[in-house]
Amino acid sequence: MGSAPARSEVLSLFRSLLRTARDFTDYNIREYAKRRTVDAFRHNRRLSDPAEAAAAFAEGKSQLGVAKRQALVYSLYAPRAKSVMEINGS
């Protein structure tokens, strides 16, 4: 493949995935996207082979594109009522 991505590139991808997760209007999907992002980065944290790291980075970039498209689609068909988890109990 290629060389391993730089730490700054990996952190940028991580932040972009979390930012995209915030764009989901549905609470459950938003939390799933955040949890999936953190879990995937923890799982790949110890990759030492540059080819494996590059493949994982490419997969992350691919998932970012999918998440951005899905966030757009979900925003077009967002429910009008908020989830019980999003209602403030004041």
Side-chain angles (χ1 to χ4, degrees):
M1 264 217 158
S3 63
R7 179 176 169 80
S8 61
E9 292 176 310
V10 173
L11 292 174
S12 176
L13 176 62
F14 181 71
R15 286 190 303 269
S16 294
L17 283 163
L18 289 178
R19 246 183 264 117
T20 302
R22 282 192 315 218
D23 293 341
F24 284 100
T25 54
D26 184 85
Y27 172 83
N28 291 321
I29 296 169
R30 187 171 52 245
E31 292 301 312
Y32 171 77
K34 283 194 261 184
R35 189 173 56 248
R36 177 71 182 99
T37 298
V38 171
D39 289 348
F41 274 79
R42 282 186 183 149
H43 180 264
N44 293 322
R45 176 187 300 173
R46 305 238 188 274
L47 290 180
S48 58
D49 182 29
E52 287 180 9
F57 184 75
E59 176 64 21
K61 294 286 268 189
S62 171
Q63 290 299 317
L64 177 61
V66 170
K68 285 183 176 183
R69 288 190 299 275
Q70 287 293 359
L72 176 65
V73 169
Y74 275 93
S75 71
L76 295 174
Y77 301 102
R80 289 188 170 86
K82 286 191 171 196
S83 167
V84 174
M85 299 298 289
E86 296 174 306
I87 298 173
N88 291 335
S90 45

